[in-house]
Amino acid sequence: MPHNLALNNTKIALEKFTSEVDTSNRESIKRARNYLEWTKLKTDMIQHEDEIHIPKSALPKKVTSFTRDKLNPIEKQLFDEHYSRDDLDNFHKLDRTKIINDETIHKLMHILSLNRGNVVWVEFGFNICKEFGGKHPALILRKVPNALFVTPLSSSAPESIKDWHVKVDRVYNYAKQETRWINIHRIINVSLKRIDFNSPVGSVKGTVLTDISDKIKKYGLR
């Protein structure tokens, strides 16, 4: 059968790949391990591509009144069913004792966390040559059904800073504070399957989004 031939060819290719790893070179070993781990992870993603599981633990534990005020009436009603205001610190806190079904968790994540200006961790996969790869934080620019348009944030400064680079001084809600960089040419659409919902969600200043929008207009990206 055709798929058996493809499977056999894939096994041969992987065996050849692993046999040619330079075991005396740490970078070569790391590269091979990362590729094999990504191959397994991507296979799992494809095998369960219709299943997007978001754990309850991914929901924000507390939300500002400003965030709530931006919700539409239907979203506010859903929000108020699971969050209650704490007058002491002016935050709305998640009721952790209440059971929340998967559909509601998805809806709450979409209205509270998966929004333009927030930062999520994304598994970009194994990179070839100068492609951007690996697991990195990424800034959400736009939300579409079951996917996000994002741009990766790199902790490494560009070798030569160009006008299409955007400097991000801080990602709020991240324990490690360091300067990060965005290259607007790396904007990409990613499935929600690639999002690590066990990692914290951060955010950036509105001026960063403005800077990105200006540079996109300047370079004619659509």
Side-chain angles (χ1 to χ4, degrees), residues 88-133:
L88 294 177
D89 58 9
N90 201 33
F91 278 98
H92 298 260
K93 297 186 177 180
L94 176 68
D95 184 351
R96 303 190 190 189
T97 64
K98 183 176 290 188
I99 296 175
I100 310 177
N101 62 43
D102 289 343
E103 182 181 357
T104 300
I105 291 174
H106 276 244
K107 288 180 179 179
L108 288 170
M109 280 297 293
H110 274 275
I111 65 175
L112 298 176
S113 298
L114 301 179
N115 294 315
R116 177 177 168 83
N118 282 352
V119 177
V120 292
W121 282 85
V122 177
E123 179 55 77
F124 288 99
F126 189 81
N127 63 297
I128 300 175
C129 297
K130 293 186 178 295
E131 290 178 345
F132 199 89

Side-chain angles (χ1 to χ4, degrees), residues 4-79:
N4 287 334
L5 177 61
L7 176 61
N8 187 57
N9 289 339
T10 301
K11 287 180 178 178
I12 293 173
L14 285 175
E15 288 172 357
K16 184 175 186 296
F17 171 76
T18 54
S19 68
E20 294 177 353
V21 174
D22 182 356
T23 55
S24 65
N25 185 306
R26 293 179 62 182
E27 284 302 312
S28 179
I29 295 173
K30 179 181 177 181
R31 178 174 177 271
R33 184 180 65 247
N34 288 347
Y35 174 68
L36 292 173
E37 288 177 348
W38 166 241
T39 300
K40 178 187 180 302
L41 179 59
K42 187 170 184 178
T43 301
D44 290 341
M45 287 182 180
I46 294 172
Q47 194 171 11
H48 304 96
E49 62 181 335
D50 294 329
E51 304 171 14
I52 300 176
H53 175 67
I54 304 178
K56 181 182 176 181
S57 58
L59 293 174
K61 305 302 181 291
K62 59 182 183 179
V63 177
T64 64
S65 294
F66 175 76
T67 298
R68 180 189 178 277
D69 290 342
K70 292 192 297 182
L71 303 178
N72 65 43
I74 295 177
E75 292 171 342
K76 281 181 181 177
Q77 182 179 356
L78 177 65
F79 176 87

Side-chain angles (χ1 to χ4, degrees), residues 150-154 158 164-166 181-187:
V150 302
T151 179
L153 283 84
S154 175
W164 54 78
H165 291 121
V166 177
W181 292 87
I182 287 173
N183 180 340
I184 65 165
H185 295 310
R186 286 179 171 161
I187 295 173

Side-chain angles (χ1 to χ4, degrees), residues 111-218:
I111 65 175
L112 298 176
S113 298
L114 301 179
N115 294 315
R116 177 177 168 83
N118 282 352
V119 177
V120 292
W121 282 85
V122 177
E123 179 55 77
F124 288 99
F126 189 81
N127 63 297
I128 300 175
C129 297
K130 293 186 178 295
E131 290 178 345
F132 199 89
K135 182 180 173 182
H136 289 275
L139 177 64
I140 300 173
L141 298 178
R142 186 179 179 185
K143 177 169 56 180
V144 294
N146 292 326
L148 302 169
F149 279 92
V150 302
T151 179
L153 283 84
S154 175
S155 57
S156 300
E159 292 182 5
S160 177
I161 298 175
K162 304 295 184 181
D163 194 36
W164 54 78
H165 291 121
V166 177
K167 184 178 181 181
V168 181
D169 292 317
R170 181 176 183 180
V171 177
Y172 296 93
N173 198 40
Y174 274 21
K176 186 177 182 181
Q177 291 299 330
E178 59 183 337
T179 299
R180 300 178 188 269
W181 292 87
I182 287 173
N183 180 340
I184 65 165
H185 295 310
R186 286 179 171 161
I187 295 173
I188 187 173
N189 174 264
V190 298
S191 166
L192 292 185
K193 291 286 292 185
R194 291 180 180 266
I195 310 301
D196 179 5
F197 289 106
N198 292 308
S199 293
V201 176
S203 61
V204 300
K205 290 182 177 179
T207 52
V208 172
L209 294 171
T210 301
D211 198 6
I212 291 173
S213 295
D214 290 343
K215 292 181 185 296
I216 289 175
K217 292 177 182 177
K218 182 175 180 179

